[in-house]
Amino acid sequence: MSNGGSRSDGIGRWGWRAGALGMAGMVGVAGAALSGCGSGGEREQRVQPLGAGEIRTVADAFLADWAAGRPARAAALTDDPVAAKAALAGYASGAGVLRVAIAPAAPRGREVPYAVTAQVRGGDAKAPWTYDSRLTVVRDAKSGKALVHWTPSVLHPKLQAGERLRTGAAQGPPVRLLDRTGAELDTAAFPSLSTIAVNVRNRYGLRAGVSGPVEIWVVPAKGAKRAATVRTTIDPVLQRAAEQQVAGRYAALVAVRPSTGEIMAVANSPQGGQDLALRAELAPGSTMKVITASLLLDKGLTASTREHPCPQFAAYGGWRFHNVDNFALPEGSTFTQSFARSCNTAFIGMAPKLKEGDLHRQAHDVFGIGLRWEAGVPTFDGDVPAASSDTALASELIGQGEVRMNPMTMASVSATVKAGVFRQPYLVAPGLDGSTPAKAPRAMKPSTAAQLRTMMKETATWGTAAGVMGGLKGDVGAKTGTAEVGGPDDKPNAWFTAYRDDLAAAALVPSSGHGGTYAGPLVRGVLAAAPDAPGPKTPDKTTPEEPASGEPASGEGGEGEAAPEEAAAD
């Protein structure tokens, strides 16, 4: 096209083709027909229906003029030429559009969808910009012409009346982040939510387009950026408690409501570091024994009150495994006592009775581990792979080997035990963007859930978690974990997962020490911050037990993930 301009080839001044034109169908169209008589003897005017050719012709012409940078000519093909001309003229200048191509699709009735491909400038940066929109063709009642019905969404689907587009260096769209009560969350008061705010902004923000270093904003007539309002499940009281617990240390914590799956608090420290709370991929140590115990109970291989040996050593897969300090429980001890003391050999001794993939299926099918969770923000949803060898299975049974978790998934494990069914954790209601929450294929047996609640209660009452959980009111349960990492001189990762009434929480403190000592107090601090009995208690049908005779009532002696004899872990 020359500078003088010729529209016959459909090429815009930026050199991009917008589509074939055919104006013949627009000229001389009879817009109205006279027929019949009204009751008063006056002639009645009927609007002639739009033909498919008319619709495509006017749509192609309008899109071609828009792409060619001819706002006046494009606006003249609309039913509001004044507003359309102003908006189309501002499209190139305000939005920083350098060139544009528009590809219309086949009409759908009076609607014509189209795809826009453009290049935009923001500051010194340039970037591509693509999006889809649609227009509607109407017949003007006075002139009888086929015209594009003008609305700001013709330019971009997110535009509303009086709004315009602006381009600039990428900063992210504005988002008002709300807590569960509808109050705005201040990331200055809750610094752990800074990363959450960025992720929510990127997913839900009112952003017309993002292309690398350039962003295109929806700007109202008054000049302020229109912010998206996103309501989260965060409880400000629990979030404040979580922030206080992780402050000043390398730690992460998540709290979840068992009855719904709502994430009530998320905390990471130090700020600006890794999102360990939602995205860590670390071995969880003995907290994994909750899942393993559920497998053994579901399969009928043991029961909470059944005698279950806890020897000093257990051999499997060519390796001999042992407990921390080589402790053993007296003959006649039950499975609950082995669980509460975190006896590694009691679990590894059951490995020969399991089939390939049993542990993986239990974690996946009952606890939702490894499903695609729709939490509203990026998450790692755990992984318990099918063991590749007997030795690998022995390690995975006690949360070592290739098992990978984070505080969110381990809080969910406790929540699943408390509720008796997996409810996917979420921070933003999945329905906000049309996503569907993950659902576990099946639930654990009711008798298994009841026994697990008793076992976790005993762990909190006199087992390895008693020193931390003592004095908490309500229906409580807990499990400690200490995962070996690196070499024998490296400090282990501390884990702790627990529930109190309708609140479950888990914490991770890397490179610290025993789970009950380092991670446990963080979880207790959040559970204690919740109001008494925030939800219905779940009755247990099993009878509490006392510690095995001759063994300490609580403490760390039993914690340790069994590893080959040369190294023990919690």
Side-chain angles (χ1 to χ4, degrees), residues 7 58 61-67 69-89 146-150 154-155:
R7 64 187 300 161
V58 72
F62 170 80
L63 295 175
D65 281 330
W66 171 11
R70 296 187 287 259
R73 293 175 65 168
L77 298 174
T78 74
D79 60 359
D80 190 350
V82 174
K85 181 180 177 180
L88 288 163
L147 299 173
V148 172
H149 174 58
W150 179 254
V154 170
L155 277 184

Side-chain angles (χ1 to χ4, degrees), residues 345-385:
T345 58
F347 287 84
I348 293 173
M350 303 300 291
K353 298 182 180 181
L354 298 176
K355 297 178 181 178
E356 182 178 354
D358 275 350
L359 187 62
H360 163 75
R361 286 187 291 272
Q362 186 76 4
H364 179 276
D365 295 354
V366 174
F367 290 87
I369 300 300
L371 297 176
R372 182 180 178 83
W373 296 8
E374 294 290 348
V377 292
T379 60
F380 172 71
D381 308 326
D383 186 26
V384 181

Side-chain angles (χ1 to χ4, degrees), residues 192 237-255 265-270 276-277 407 465 467-469 472 478 480 493-500 503-510 512-530:
S192 286
V237 173
L238 299 178
Q239 181 63 35
R240 184 172 292 105
E243 299 270 8
Q244 293 171 348
Q245 292 301 320
V246 303
R249 67 188 84 201
Y250 184 29
L253 185 149
V254 173
V266 180
N268 282 291
S269 181
L276 294 178
V468 174
M469 298 291 287
L472 276 181
T480 55
N493 295 336
W495 290 82
F496 195 93
T497 184
Y499 62 78
R500 175 189 174 225
L503 184 66
L508 162 66
V509 183
S512 57
H514 184 267
T517 301
Y518 292 91
L522 280 60
V523 171
R524 182 204 165 88
V526 171
L527 296 180

Side-chain angles (χ1 to χ4, degrees), residues 392-410:
L393 173 59
S395 296
E396 290 186 3
L397 290 173
I398 52 166
Q400 295 284 162
E402 297 301 315
V403 177
R404 294 292 179 264
M405 297 286 189
N406 53 51
M408 177 191 65
T409 56
M410 290 315 306

